Amino acid sequence: MSPLTPSRTPSSALRLAIFVPGGPVPAWVARLVGDCTGLPDIELVALLRDGVALPEADWADRLDGLVFDRGSSPLRLVPLEAPAGAAEWSGADANAAAGWLAGQGCDVLVDLRLSPFALAPGPAHHWTLMLAGRPAVDPLAGAAPVVDGEDSTEIRLEAVADGTPMGSSVGASCNFSIRRNRRRAIAKGMGMVRRALLRLADGGSSEGPDANAPAAAWVPAEARAPAAPVTAPVQRGGGRSARKGGARDQWGIALALGEGICLDPARARLIYPPADRFWADPMVWPAEGGGWWVFIEEVIYREGKGTLQAIRVHPNGDWEPPVPVMRRPWHLSYPFVFEWNGELWMVPESGANRTVELYRCVGLPDRWEKVQDIFTGIDLVDATLFAHEGRWWLLGNVSEPGADKHDELHAFHAETPLGPWQPHAANPVVADARFARPAGPVFMHEGRLLRPAQVCVPEYGHALSLQCIDRLTPSEYAEHTEGHIAPGWRPGIDCVHTLSHQPGLTAFDFLVRRPRFAPWRLPQSAPLTAAGNDEGTPA
């Protein structure tokens, strides 16, 4: 952790300057400047304009924009007016810029030029955003992972002088569009800047828990790559469209009998839904009289909206068709259930309504009464609650507007599930799509607190990662990877993204890609044994 400069106290406003390219700037830069003017305890006092403007888009960039980045793109160039009260400077003389800036008494300089470099004298904190090793404003930022076919793309907020990271976030690469890859990463970078400023203004370190990766080598902006490599993502985009046109993703449920938790889905029996829908996000709870209820998300393709259902599984493994549990005007999924005060509660995912809602069970499986909104005005997905060391914790992914939902895990804590809930001081506590998004209830296993997480690289819900939570307090979070559960344990299984257990039964879900135009044979019922049997096979 870097110490705060001793010249400030937390009670004084943080004085901020922003250095932008000359001429029009990307719309996201203009938005970030506007966002910074509204942050508490932060005063934007200076705007510097470089003598170097951004290069014009080449033909490949324009084509990419026409196909994948139409409309009000955050990458389009717009004029930038200085905010009210901010002093302005423009030019190409670095010494003149440094001298002028020294007179403004700034604490932080956010440097968004094409070629950021240290100024002498300069403010105590001088940061820049780097996307896949290039300054984020560079039109080629984020291009290398797409052209090279890399699975992930990293954006970092780092110190200009030595590359010390203030924040880092890794997401799945969009392998068919450079502009879309840039947009998703930059949306997270904007959040990084805001969080680092707020931490510093609050008297803490500007470094976040995601500041843990080594700096990537930077290729100077003038070393621009030719347009020809765009053919690789174009070819991948064409292949993607062909695959989506010829096959449909279908999630099903896998069940494994056994008192202890099963971490080997090859032991599980596969249950395929009818051809017109998918079943996902299984959450297991004991049923009265023996057996279990497995709460699931069901999406009927023609409706395109999730509802909650429950499958009754008997002690011998026989199961009954799902019964309706909850339907709302908005999409529902991830029916997270837990016990508290001798009652059963549910927090379904309702991010499409920008709420996190708490329900109490008044009759299994389908009678639930809403108790309260835990949060409103937030797109939080896969809320996962558990008690730990005298507190209740809620983990869920929260995304910046325009960013993927899979990349950044946030934590909240309260004395009870009724709240009030407070955000973790280090949010996001995980900023990596390879193990951020929740994948089921947190559980104890051999003395370790394990958090099932989705591996969303190279695609959403690709696999499961078992994350061991090493430290969890209102201000600290640390975890490490304990193990993985990969797809492919049966032919045709491409993804697995949920794990849930109650004594006697473990549930997974799995994804197959079913041909759209092939006949589909509905599965026939078969008893489930500890060895595991399939409930039919996909056509």
Side-chain angles (χ1 to χ4, degrees):
M1 294 287 187
S2 298
L4 288 172
T5 173
S7 61
R8 289 193 64 255
T9 64
S11 59
S12 63
L14 191 76
R15 294 176 64 81
L16 170 67
I18 300 179
F19 212 151
V20 300
V25 300
W28 68 265
V29 172
R31 178 184 163 190
L32 180 59
V33 170
D35 289 350
C36 289
T37 63
L39 295 177
D41 300 319
I42 294 168
E43 182 182 3
L44 179 58
V45 298
L47 181 72
L48 297 88
R49 303 179 193 268
D50 193 18
V52 179
L54 293 175
E56 294 186 3
D58 59 26
W59 69 266
D61 190 31
R62 290 195 295 270
L63 177 61
D64 192 4
L66 287 173
V67 177
F68 296 113
D69 195 24
R70 291 173 291 182
S72 184
S73 169
L75 302 181
R76 74 189 189 281
L77 297 182
V78 299
L80 174 63
E81 294 185 5
E88 281 192 85
W89 180 91
S90 62
D93 188 329
N95 290 329
W100 180 85
L101 189 61
Q104 307 304 312
C106 294
D107 302 299
V108 182
L109 173 61
V110 176
D111 197 334
L112 301 177
R113 293 175 292 169
L114 268 174
S115 300
F117 54 86
L119 301 178
H125 304 276
H126 185 182
W127 309 332
T128 190
L129 273 175
M130 300 294 286
L131 172 52
R134 286 181 177 269
V137 295
D138 189 333
L140 289 178
V146 180
V147 173
D148 296 341
E150 298 175 7
D151 285 341
S152 61
T153 298
E154 181 190 31
I155 188 164
R156 295 163 54 94
L157 179 66
E158 61 184 46
V160 170
D162 58 7
T164 299
M166 306 296 114
S168 171
S169 187
V170 175
S173 298
C174 179
N175 64 8
F176 57 87
S177 169
I178 293 170
R179 288 178 70 92
R180 188 170 292 185
N181 201 47
R182 291 183 64 206
R183 287 179 55 173
R184 299 193 307 201
I186 286 170
K188 295 185 294 180
M190 294 168 65
M192 264 180 234
V193 172
R194 292 192 297 267
R195 290 192 298 267
L197 289 171
L198 289 171
R199 283 194 297 266
L200 200 57
D202 195 41
S205 169
S206 55
E207 295 180 9
D210 44 5
N212 52 16
W218 171 44
V219 178
E222 57 267 25
R224 297 181 56 79
V230 79
T231 56
V234 167
Q235 289 172 349
R236 287 194 292 268
R240 172 179 176 271
S241 298
R243 287 192 300 273
K244 292 179 73 70
R248 170 176 279 164
D249 289 357
Q250 185 177 47
W251 290 93
I253 306 299
L255 303 175
L257 290 176
E259 194 66 17
I261 189 167
C262 173
L263 300 179
D264 178 13
R267 291 177 44 205
R269 169 201 186 182
L270 309 184
I271 298 176
Y272 294 92
D276 66 340
R277 65 196 66 194
F278 71 70
W279 296 338
D281 296 350
M283 300 290 173
V284 182
W285 198 257
E288 293 183 6
W292 308 268
W293 288 106
V294 180
F295 295 91
I296 61 170
E297 169 198 3
E298 178 180 82
V299 173
I300 298 174
Y301 294 122
R302 70 173 181 273
E303 296 178 359
K305 183 180 68 176
T307 65
L308 303 185
Q309 310 279 320
I311 299 172
R312 179 67 182 266
V313 179
H314 295 283
N316 66 354
D318 290 345
W319 60 279
E320 299 177 11
V323 297
V325 170
M326 191 180 298
R327 177 184 291 269
R328 293 291 181 267
W330 50 86
H331 176 83
L332 295 175
S333 60
Y334 201 79
F336 186 84
V337 289
F338 66 98
E339 188 175 19
W340 174 61
N341 273 1
E343 296 182 289
L344 182 61
W345 304 75
M346 179 190 289
V347 179
E349 183 195 308
S350 53
N353 192 46
R354 297 187 60 78
T355 56
V356 178
E357 302 175 351
L358 178 65
Y359 292 82
R360 178 192 293 114
C361 182
V362 294
L364 273 174
D366 58 350
R367 295 173 56 206
W368 299 83
E369 63 177 14
K370 183 177 176 181
V371 176
Q372 67 181 54
D373 289 326
I374 293 177
F375 299 122
T376 59
I378 185 173
D379 185 1
L380 184 150
V381 298
D382 299 345
T384 301
L385 285 75
F386 61 101
H388 178 65
E389 296 184 348
R391 292 179 182 270
W392 276 86
W393 295 90
L394 185 154
L395 303 178
N397 270 37
V398 180
S399 57
E400 296 286 338
D404 272 352
K405 298 179 186 293
H406 321 315
D407 298 0
E408 297 186 340
L409 178 72
H410 288 237
F412 304 84
H413 57 92
E415 292 186 2
T416 78
L418 299 179
W421 290 89
Q422 301 297 324
H424 196 283
N427 278 338
V429 294
V430 178
D432 194 319
R434 294 169 293 191
F435 34 75
R437 187 164 177 167
V442 173
F443 62 95
M444 291 296 298
H445 182 66
E446 299 179 350
R448 298 185 297 278
L449 187 62
L450 298 186
R451 181 180 72 86
Q454 297 185 43
V455 178
C456 291
V457 173
E459 62 181 326
Y460 165 66
H462 175 68
L464 291 172
S465 180
L466 298 177
Q467 300 297 112
C468 180
I469 298 177
D470 301 308
R471 188 166 62 255
L472 178 57
T473 73
S475 61
E476 296 178 296
Y477 185 91
E479 65 174 32
H480 71 271
T481 299
E482 187 80 9
H484 287 90
I485 299 175
W489 70 86
R490 300 286 178 88
I493 293 179
D494 288 341
C495 297
V496 52
H497 83 342
T498 308
L499 167 64
S500 176
H501 169 77
Q502 287 290 324
L505 184 68
T506 301
F508 305 87
D509 55 11
F510 64 92
L511 180 138
V512 295
R513 293 190 161 97
R514 184 176 63 83
R516 289 179 181 268
F517 309 109
W520 179 258
R521 177 168 56 86
L522 290 176
Q524 300 300 311
S525 179
L528 176 63
T529 67
N533 292 309
D534 288 355
E535 178 74 3
T537 55

